[in-house]
Amino acid sequence: MQGAEKNNMAVNKSATDTSYVRFENVQKSYDGEVLVVKDLNLDIQKGEFVTMLGPSGSGKSTCLMMLAGFEPATHGEIFLDDRPINTVPPHKRGIGMVFQNYALFPHMTVAENLAFPLEVRGMSRSDQEDRVKKILDLVELPQMAGRRPAQLSGGQQQRVAVARALVFEPDLVLMDEPLGALDKQLREQMQYEIKHIHENLGVTVVYVTHDQTEALTMSDRVAVFEDGVIQQLSSPESLYESPQNSFVAQFIGENNKLNGVVEKVSKGICQVRTDDGTLLHAEKVNVEGVGDKTTLSLRPERIELDPPKGTKNVVKGRVEELIYLGDHIRVRMNVAGNSEFIVKVRNRADKRPLKEGQDAKIGWLAEDCKALDYVGQL
Amino acid sequence: MGKKMSDTAVNNMGTQAQKLAAENNPLITADGIPLKQKLAKTTRKMKMRALLLTMPLVLFIIVSFVIPIGQMLHRGFYNPAVSNVMPNFSIAIKDWDETTGEMPSDEILKVFVEDLALARKNREVGKTVGNMATRINYELPGSRSLFTKTARRADKITEGPYLDELIAIDKKWDNHNLWRTVKRASNDYTISFFLAALDLKYDENGEISRADPLYQIYVPILMKTLMLSALITFLCFLIAYPVSYLLSTLPLRTSNLLMILVLLPFWTSLLVRTSAWIAMLQTEGIINDIMVYLGIIGDDGRIQMIYNQTGTVISMVHILLPFMILPLYSVMKTIPPSYMRAAKSMGATNSYAFRKVYFPQTIPGIAAGTLLVFILAIGYYITPALVGGSDGIFISNLIADHIRKTLNWSLGSALAAILLVVVLIFYWMYNRLVGVDKLKFG
């Protein structure tokens, strides 16, 4: 949690007057006993694509519902364009929203669904038709205007739902796991389409998902939620490259963990003695100093087989299992007492093949290994 | 997207090509038997199974439903009371042409007197002169005694002219309309009972005309039944809609508990429930007592809330309420809250979102509930009989009266048939307005 607090402070510092959406010390409880959202501070710039990522029950959807106005904040204030909106009812917030199951009105045609927000705003019939036509072209469904939602495929319904959230040209669009019901291939395609729509229209998007690939693909910034707290808020790249704590390292991408104790710190690099006595070098990220217990985090693709001389960390491991995946081979090894240690070996013709039970020499750079908060027994 | 569309197009073309091929030369299985024949053979067993499984129900429905209803409808048209008692006369009278204005010929009257005398002599159960006289009395009130009196003296008449002899017994025989009525009644098949059920009759000239205002009872009661049923349905809807909405939005545990309260009346005897309303509503009852105690009304100004239309409406709304709540609830349960949220996020106020988004989606439930309650109400019997007094009775109470008290089964059957037709008409109108395929009971 240390990292998380540090992070929240960092977010506070970066709060500027230009932020479009701002959560200030927002807390939420449903039953008066458990805080679902604990002291949330978040700034979203205009035109940004921010994803709230986290396991179910981490409070991310609740945050979205509070922003949309369907749930009141128990404490704190939410600002939209520097206006406090806690007391503004949802229909006056002017926020577009895409729901998990699309919530397309089954008794209306696609065109009627799309015209709904325009009708509410008292727009003339001809203007409505123009807008509906334009937005249907944008989502590439011009021939579907007369259909009912039930007559559309999942992907088409998804597009209509996005179109309906955009048709009244809101500045802010919220999406609550909108791709959850689609199959993998369609989901990937829709990710790109939503990303492109965002780029073309320049709307601010707040997106909620539990799928890390989705978050990394689409977002400008990702807020990783856990236990009602933002663990890290940063770009997809730095989220993966420099996780601020063990939870983020574990949640985003694949990750090897090794436990140890810090023996020495110099120039941002600490020497860590693992439980079985191996001495490793790692970048100091989330440990206090000498004598601290730490969990080292290491990406499988950063580990090299038969490392060149001068590599900071070189250890021996025993190959436990080989899984052939075409472009690479997943090697499960027993390294420094951890038998779940994964190494991704590129599939190359010039390398001699590994065998199960064999000992192999592996190595990695100190910068690729992060010393993070201790998570306990592996 | 485009790719997907073209894929399905290709598929369609593929199946069409297959169909064409099938028409030209039928597909054949490996052992040379046409595919369709083989398929029929393999599915025959399943079809037989399905038939056997439904057979008990089909038989039960035929015995307990189709046959009785058919009989009832038949009885409304068919009444052989006259031909049973006077078989020869009922054939002979057919030769009389009543349109000429002349009385029946002497031969016909001879058969009449003989049949009458014979019927009096060997009376059988259900074939007495009295039965026949009652049948004719339905159409010509006050004529019953004429037949019984004449029958007693019929064996004294030995020779003609028979009309004069009959007139000698009673002057009423000298009446052209009487004989026309007798001729009509001697036909086994008649629409007289349907005419009576619709407050119509044959007048002195043999034309169909409206009954005297004093005798017009069935159509007003039928109208009242329809009006009260509509009112009961509407009140049920008003009460049930918010309750169902609440039930559908509450967490499952709470809603289950409340649902038991809704269903509790279902599990209590209808008689107990109705009697409870008597205790509540009567002039010395609980509600009046409370109002007197609170000073809303004086002790001498107690309100008559039972044994009239008010009593019928109140207790029937209570009894039929579950039939409205259940279909509404089951439909509302399937409407996720995200619809209303979506509407609000697009700028709709609560009431706008309700009118345009929520309400239209509950229409299948409303349709099912109102149809169910309305049709149940039209045919309701016990409650109006117990709490309706004379003012709040329904058409089914009259039907029951004719079946059980006056024993005019034909009229009862005709009334029941008319009720059935009215229900079918409503069902048809409903189908046109709402579409029966849209009904949702759960």
Side-chain angles (χ1 to χ4, degrees), chain A residues 240-253:
Chain A
Y240 187 82
E241 299 289 344
S242 35
Q244 295 297 310
N245 59 40
S246 289
F247 175 80
V248 175
Q250 190 61 30
F251 194 73
I252 308 284

Side-chain angles (χ1 to χ4, degrees), chain A residues 43 221 339:
Chain A
D43 277 273
R221 284 194 298 162
S339 62

Side-chain angles (χ1 to χ4, degrees), chain B residues 391-438:
Chain B
D391 184 31
I393 56 165
F394 276 21
I395 191 82
S396 28
N397 300 101
L398 291 184
I399 296 174
D401 259 9
H402 282 304
I403 303 288
R404 289 175 40 226
K405 287 195 192 139
T406 67
L407 298 185
N408 187 353
W409 285 19
S410 288
L411 184 54
S413 296
L415 283 169
I418 286 170
L419 186 60
L420 182 64
V421 170
V422 168
V423 168
L424 288 178
I425 288 173
F426 271 101
Y427 188 74
W428 175 80
M429 271 168 37
Y430 218 79
N431 193 15
R432 292 292 301 272
L433 288 174
V434 188
V436 171
D437 53 333
K438 285 215 187 100

Side-chain angles (χ1 to χ4, degrees), chain A residues 125-238:
Chain A
R125 182 99 351 174
S126 61
D127 286 356
Q128 285 184 25
E129 279 166 17
D130 283 354
R131 286 269 197 105
V132 168
K133 204 175 142 356
K134 230 190 265 170
I135 202 81
L136 275 174
D137 286 341
L138 182 76
V139 295
E140 294 165 32
L141 290 172
Q143 69 282 27
M144 298 295 172
R147 302 259 186 108
R148 301 245 166 192
Q151 295 168 304
L152 303 180
S153 70
Q156 289 168 338
Q157 291 185 23
Q158 171 58 50
R159 279 162 214 258
V160 175
V162 171
R164 195 177 63 174
L166 292 169
V167 71
F168 61 101
E169 294 177 356
D171 292 324
L172 176 61
V173 175
L174 312 182
M175 302 194 184
D176 186 10
E177 308 216 14
L179 306 181
L182 302 180
D183 60 55
K184 190 168 176 285
Q185 210 173 353
L186 206 52
R187 198 157 61 213
E188 281 167 11
Q189 192 191 341
M190 285 306 299
Q191 286 169 14
Y192 293 120
E193 284 188 27
I194 291 176
K195 191 179 161 84
H196 292 151
I197 287 172
H198 167 249
E199 282 162 5
N200 291 337
L201 298 182
V203 292
T204 311
V205 178
V206 179
Y207 192 100
V208 162
T209 183
H210 62 265
D211 182 326
Q212 43 141 324
T213 335
E214 222 167 275
L216 297 183
T217 314
M218 304 167 76
S219 322
D220 295 326
R221 284 194 298 162
V222 179
V224 180
F225 273 71
E226 161 67 358
D227 199 22
V229 175
I230 294 185
Q231 303 287 337
Q232 185 167 351
L233 172 70
S234 51
S235 69
E237 194 189 324
S238 67

